[in-house]
Amino acid sequence: MSRSETPSWERHLDRWAEAAARQLARGLSRRSLLGRLGATLAGAAALPLLPVSRVSAASSDPAPAAPEGLDGPEGDPSSCQYWRHCAIDGFLCSCCGGSHTACPPGTVMSPVTWIGTCRNPADGRQYVISYNDCCGKHLCGRCLCNRNEGDRPAYLPPKSNDINWCASAPSTVYHCSTAIVLGVATES
Amino acid sequence: MARRAGGGGRTPAAWAVAAALLLAAAAAGPAAAEAISGPRLDYVLHCMGCHLEDGGGAPESVPTLEGFGRFLQIPDGRAYLVRVPGSAHAPLDDAALAALLNWMLVRFDPTRARAPEFRPYEAAEVTRYRAVPLADADAERRRLLRVLDGDPSGDR
Amino acid sequence: MRRMPAAILVLSFAVLLPPPPSGADPERPEPLPADALGVILPAPPPAPHQVWVADFVLERTAGFDANDGRLLGMLSAGVGTIAPLFSQARGEIYLPETYYSRGSRGTRTDVVTIYDAATLAPEAEVVVPPKRADVVHAMALSTLLDDGRFLAIANFTPATSVTIVDVEERRLVGEIATAGCHLVYAAGPRRFFMICGDGSLLQVTLDEAGHEQARIRTPPFFAILEDPVTEKAVRRGDEWIFVSFDGLVHSVDVAGETPRFAEPWSLLDEADRGASWRIGGVQHLAVHEASGRLYSLMHRGGPDEHKVPGTEIWVYDLETRRRVQTIGIRNLLGAFLAQQTGTPGGALLWLLERVVPNPGVDSIAVSQDADPRLFGLSRSAGTVAVWDARSGEFLRYLENVGIAPGALQAPWR
């Protein structure tokens, strides 16, 4: 730990700022703010992915990243609110030396994982997302993100993001998580 | 920057060529994500996480699906492929599970699935098997494999 | 020297020593006594108001005295889930641990380390199959069966199975195959159950040596597709209490040979549902066994918010199935910041609690004594709030309980 150089209060301020930003991005808009706005918006609170939450997420992001990917602007893959992260639980590999589709240097991608779907607001399609974990180095510790659309308890492993999916990797030590597009889920 | 670099004497034709090259490069980029539907989508969403795209599974943990049609050779084995937790617990109705198993047999054991004696699963059959959960799926699998390997002690 | 009489020895030292500074400085007090080297304190005796908080970055679990906030001692763990099992009868703590020979790589070894609760020192270890499940909420991943002899560990490779350890004889008993069912819940001295992927239970009974004797598979007891229960159940005697995403209470009675399921009831009435109240958190339930009070972390939100921290704790009487109390949650992040500035109370705390976003509470636990304490952990603030569990009165904060706090336990009676 090389943190001893930094004064204690500064570390804690950093930590607070991080926690506060996380809180803003994750919950403030949906719970506290709407709660305070009162009963008129109570119904709206039940809707997932409120515009407010995207606005607050955008405002807490330091710099909007360039559009990338499939079909027009989609936001910042290192942001928790990024559409592919609708059911991710862990550190975003794009903040850890990897990307949202690739593991950081020197880690190993677990082949075994769980797979879900997320809706891309840019094109309205449901994409099949594979949340492969990157393994073999200790916790990345950056961009912790927990979203749970369609997440189920650990007794349903194929749908559970609480599980460390490094379980079948050469080292089960968890480092970060990716969100890889496998295809577009289409009604037959 | 672009003005200065290009202002020297690049003609509109040169720009057009450059633009065409850029478009070509973009077209040769990553292919668009393909549409996945039907039983294949069910395989991807409910099975592939552990069994992997090629059905190979994980050593000592997730059995390979390659050649798994051999279980169809005995009645209990045919029931097993429905009653095994990965099948029985999939969030699919019986018709969808029947279609998924038939798709998997074609995909991972094409020789058996194309043999004349192959009889696809039907919804009613899946309903029947699914109604009786396996208390010990691992033991049943070992028993069936012993029978299939010709070991009489495997039979009840 | 060898034959020098003791008196001469003492005398010779007395001559060598400088004279005492008599009268040198009448204002100056006597020097401090010299300290002894090598002293190691024992752990304070187990007490109900001790609360344990795991931390997966610090790779430890630490005990705190909720009455004064002191850290009492800790157990170092390896990588992965940290969820110690406490045996009051044997005065021991069992911690399933995972180690790699090179820290994050190399050969994996899983052990159950047996700690003496009086010293917190490791006494023995049992090597177990390197398969134990690692789930971030750390709940129902291992359990001590009711008479404290056998310990069951849930495995995930991703094939599921259970490892049995005999803590009395300190040996590995073996592994039980449990495909399709996961997590472990104690259900008697020789019995545990697991939840299966169709919403049923698998109940396994052990013989006196700890080997599987019988297994029963129940019918599904909740709607697994429409409204699944969380795996974060709490136990009151023979009753395991599960709560679904939509707030339905499903009780499982494990007193008999076969688990019995009570008629479900709801934590929410129409008004609550209309106001979008729902359960949420990492450990969203706690029960005080003697009084039959069930504590449930609640917040207002939409679907898929079953892990969102709670903003209130709702208290139910399990006999009448009615809500009897609501406990508000103060701003634990404000408390953490105030403590960091060196002014844990007063006007600054008042201000910070109102200005800083309130992170809510991720996990709750309750002590089982007659004067119970309710604990609420905010993971992002690294702070635990302590309430009087009966009156709901806020008592104090325990700050700096960790960097990345995990399981919250009040294990001693």
Side-chain angles (χ1 to χ4, degrees):
Chain A
M1 292 233 178
S2 58
R3 309 196 319 172
S4 54
E5 300 301 316
T6 323
S8 159
W9 64 268
E10 205 171 289
R11 286 207 314 269
H12 290 300
L13 198 65
D14 282 354
R15 214 173 98 183
W16 168 74
E18 190 192 322
R22 227 168 35 220
Q23 178 62 22
L24 275 169
R26 181 180 60 183
L28 176 69
S29 55
R30 254 188 270 182
R31 291 180 292 109
S32 318
L33 195 61
L34 279 178
R36 282 172 207 160
L37 284 177
T40 47
L41 282 177
L47 297 171
L49 276 178
L50 289 173
V52 207
S53 84
R54 291 209 295 275
V55 169
S56 83
S59 64
S60 69
D61 290 338
E68 67 81 51
L70 303 160
D71 217 22
E74 298 161 14
D76 176 4
S78 63
S79 151
C80 188
Q81 293 302 313
Y82 182 55
W83 67 273
R84 291 190 195 201
H85 300 151
C86 76
I88 206 165
D89 186 3
F91 302 106
L92 303 179
C93 290
S94 45
C95 302
C96 305
S99 77
H100 56 301
T101 59
C103 284
T107 62
V108 174
M109 187 180 284
S110 171
V112 167
T113 184
W114 79 282
I115 294 171
T117 61
C118 291
R119 185 181 166 276
N120 180 359
D123 63 10
R125 290 188 173 95
Q126 286 285 344
Y127 284 85
V128 180
I129 311 287
S130 182
Y131 294 99
N132 299 68
D133 285 343
C134 304
C135 319
K137 292 179 190 286
H138 282 298
L139 298 169
C140 159
R142 300 187 77 207
C143 300
L144 181 63
C145 176
N146 180 206
R147 289 169 61 196
N148 297 297
E149 288 179 30
D151 165 74
R152 289 294 177 266
Y155 56 77
L156 288 173
K159 297 287 162 260
S160 174
N161 69 14
D162 279 340
I163 289 173
N164 172 3
W165 282 101
C166 292
S168 75
S171 162
T172 60
V173 174
Y174 169 82
H175 184 65
C176 65
S177 300
T178 61
I180 297 167
V181 164
L182 297 181
V184 182
T186 312
E187 297 286 321
S188 51
Chain B
M1 285 289 276
R3 255 164 95 109
R4 246 175 50 199
R10 204 164 283 187
T11 62
W15 279 113
V17 169
L21 282 173
L22 270 175
L23 277 174
E34 62 171 325
I36 309 176
S37 62
R40 185 176 159 224
L41 178 61
D42 287 333
Y43 179 77
V44 169
L45 288 177
H46 310 304
C47 318
M48 192 179 121
C50 288
H51 284 287
L52 306 190
E53 188 173 21
D54 65 0
E60 292 170 44
S61 166
V62 184
T64 179
L65 293 174
E66 194 189 331
F68 81 119
R70 67 186 299 223
F71 283 101
L72 300 178
Q73 293 167 4
I74 48 176
D76 285 355
R78 189 172 174 91
Y80 172 79
L81 294 187
V82 175
R83 297 170 74 199
V84 70
S87 293
H89 299 170
L92 301 170
D93 64 28
D94 296 335
L97 179 55
L100 170 58
L101 284 168
N102 294 332
W103 179 89
M104 287 169 65
L105 285 160
V106 172
R107 168 78 175 78
F108 300 113
D109 198 352
T111 313
R112 284 195 182 86
R114 289 191 188 117
E117 66 270 23
F118 175 67
R119 187 166 49 87
Y121 283 101
E122 284 166 23
E125 187 187 12
V126 166
T127 309
R128 212 163 55 241
Y129 295 144
R130 228 178 178 183
V132 191
L134 281 174
D136 191 339
D138 306 86
E140 177 69 352
R141 179 185 172 80
R142 285 194 302 273
R143 184 184 75 81
L144 293 171
L145 288 174
R146 281 199 303 273
V147 175
L148 288 166
D149 291 342
D151 176 357
S153 70
D155 218 340
R156 275 188 275 229
Chain C
M1 280 293 271
R2 234 186 303 166
R3 292 183 174 271
M4 195 182 286
I8 297 175
L9 187 68
V10 170
L11 194 67
S12 61
F13 272 107
V15 170
L16 285 171
L17 283 171
S22 55
D25 186 356
E27 300 292 302
R28 208 164 162 192
E30 287 292 301
L32 296 172
D35 292 327
L37 279 169
V39 175
I40 294 161
L41 292 180
H49 294 182
Q50 292 172 5
V51 61
W52 286 74
V53 185
D55 190 295
F56 54 83
V57 167
L58 298 173
E59 294 182 356
R60 69 150 195 221
T61 181
F64 297 85
D65 187 329
N67 293 332
D68 58 18
R70 273 184 312 148
L71 193 156
L72 304 171
M74 59 181 257
L75 308 177
S76 275
V79 294
T81 297
I82 305 167
L85 300 163
F86 297 81
S87 173
Q88 193 126 12
R90 301 181 63 84
E92 291 174 339
I93 306 172
Y94 312 111
L95 185 54
E97 300 165 353
T98 297
Y99 293 98
Y100 278 87
S101 56
R102 298 291 177 273
S104 62
R105 60 197 158 83
T107 307
R108 174 174 171 172
T109 308
D110 285 15
V111 294
V112 172
T113 305
I114 300 172
Y115 293 89
D116 180 345
T119 63
L120 302 187
E123 286 189 319
E125 69 177 29
V126 177
V127 176
V128 295
K131 295 180 174 183
R132 73 184 188 100
D134 180 15
V135 182
V136 70
H137 58 60
M139 303 193 71
L141 299 178
S142 59
T143 189
L144 195 57
L145 304 194
D146 286 2
D147 66 355
R149 177 169 171 195
F150 293 110
L151 184 157
I153 302 170
N155 297 324
F156 183 79
T157 65
T160 56
S161 63
V162 169
T163 295
I164 303 292
V165 169
D166 182 336
V167 296
E168 205 171 286
E169 295 187 4
R170 297 181 172 179
R171 65 180 184 89
L172 171 69
V173 174
E175 192 180 340
I176 297 173
T178 63
C181 310
H182 198 16
L183 311 174
V184 282
Y185 303 83
R190 299 288 177 270
R191 188 171 281 169
F192 63 89
F193 69 79
M194 310 177 74
I195 307 183
C196 308
D198 58 354
S200 68
L201 298 182
L202 174 67
Q203 176 185 279
V204 177
T205 305
L206 306 179
D207 63 18
E208 280 309 303
H211 297 289
E212 176 180 345
Q213 187 177 65
R215 64 169 70 194
I216 293 172
R217 185 84 180 265
T218 72
F221 72 103
F222 60 92
I224 194 149
L225 294 181
E226 299 80 21
D227 186 26
V229 298
T230 75
E231 64 275 68
K232 300 149 180 180
V234 289
R235 186 177 180 187
R236 180 184 183 220
D238 289 326
E239 186 183 19
W240 275 100
I241 300 164
F242 289 87
V243 174
S244 74
F245 284 19
D246 288 343
L248 271 189
V249 179
H250 294 264
S251 285
V252 182
D253 184 332
V254 295
E257 279 302 300
T258 310
R260 286 188 302 125
F261 305 110
E263 195 62 33
W265 57 282
S266 182
L267 295 177
L268 303 164
D269 63 22
E270 282 312 310
D272 302 330
R273 271 189 217 98
S276 300
W277 283 100
R278 57 179 56 245
I279 64 148
V282 179
Q283 284 172 231
H284 61 88
L285 289 175
V287 67
H288 185 254
E289 293 188 41
S291 65
R293 288 204 169 185
L294 179 72
Y295 299 82
S296 175
L297 262 182
M298 311 296 289
H299 70 280
R300 294 172 73 179
D304 297 315
E305 290 207 353
H306 48 285
K307 293 181 203 161
V308 168
T311 58
E312 292 183 359
I313 298 166
W314 290 8
V315 190
Y316 295 82
D317 180 337
L318 284 173
E319 307 307 324
T320 63
R321 298 179 169 181
R322 293 197 175 277
R323 173 146 59 114
V324 293
Q325 200 175 359
T326 301
I327 301 174
I329 292 171
R330 288 170 60 166
N331 190 333
L332 278 74
L333 192 56
F336 166 77
L337 287 169
Q339 197 261 354
Q340 290 308 312
T341 64
T343 49
L348 184 64
L349 173 63
W350 186 91
L351 183 69
L352 286 170
E353 282 191 319
R354 279 150 189 82
V355 169
V356 174
N358 188 336
V361 153
D362 297 279
S363 297
I364 55 174
V366 67
S367 70
Q368 297 299 331
D369 54 326
D371 180 23
R373 294 291 176 271
L374 175 65
F375 306 104
L377 165 72
S378 164
R379 299 203 295 178
S380 57
T383 298
V384 170
V386 184
W387 294 270
D388 180 318
R390 284 178 303 179
S391 68
E393 182 195 355
F394 172 80
L395 298 177
R396 67 181 50 80
Y397 292 118
L398 312 175
E399 294 100 345
N400 272 327
V401 293
I403 290 174
L408 174 76
Q409 296 168 288
W412 303 121
R413 305 210 167 211

